[in-house]
Amino acid sequence: QVQLVESGGGSVQPGESLKLSCTASGTFFRINAMGWYRQAPGKKRELAATITRAGSSSYADSVKGRFTISRDNAQNTVYLQMNSLKPEDTAVYYCHAVGQNGLTFDDYWGQGTQVTVSS
């Protein structure tokens, strides 16, 4: 089992920055891909950014050039640096991780952290 604990959400004004963190703990052999998804009120959950264990990252078009995902494998932690925030970035942000035990891979989710961008 893997537990994901997120931190760093909050309320900011447009143009400001926030950094989210998510740390995995529990019983697992390895954490593989990690990422951040977001869900705005009345909308479906969507991918914001993902990163492989090797450090290869991908982003939704809506956040490219503004968000940066990174990770620390030794700490089983993933980060999301969010710059130039816009009101449309307002959402609950969920951490996602693929945990590996032997040849079994499972998806895990954090509890979500609120990000609100408003003037």
Side-chain angles (χ1 to χ4, degrees):
Q1 282 291 337
V2 175
Q3 293 80 44
L4 300 175
V5 178
E6 301 139 334
S7 62
S11 295
V12 297
Q13 295 188 344
E16 294 185 339
S17 300
L18 277 175
K19 186 173 184 177
L20 306 182
S21 301
C22 171
T23 299
S25 62
T27 304
F28 52 86
F29 169 67
R30 183 165 55 198
I31 297 295
N32 291 313
M34 301 186 81
W36 292 94
Y37 288 70
R38 64 185 186 179
Q39 187 167 17
K43 295 188 176 181
K44 293 182 179 180
R45 190 175 297 188
E46 64 177 12
L47 172 70
T50 62
I51 187 167
T52 67
R53 185 172 179 84
S56 178
S57 58
S58 62
Y59 298 90
D61 288 343
S62 57
V63 308
K64 279 181 183 177
R66 300 187 298 119
F67 290 10
T68 302
I69 191 169
S70 60
R71 65 187 289 171
D72 181 336
N73 289 334
Q75 300 296 323
N76 293 308
T77 298
V78 64
Y79 305 96
L80 187 67
Q81 176 67 48
M82 304 183 294
N83 297 330
S84 301
L85 283 161
K86 304 176 180 180
E88 50 263 44
D89 294 318
T90 296
V92 178
Y93 284 69
Y94 296 91
C95 177
H96 171 260
V98 177
Q100 179 183 355
N101 269 305
L103 298 179
T104 301
F105 298 82
D106 292 298
D107 291 296
Y108 297 92
W109 294 91
Q111 79 284 358
T113 185
Q114 178 70 46
V115 171
T116 301
V117 185
S118 175
S119 56

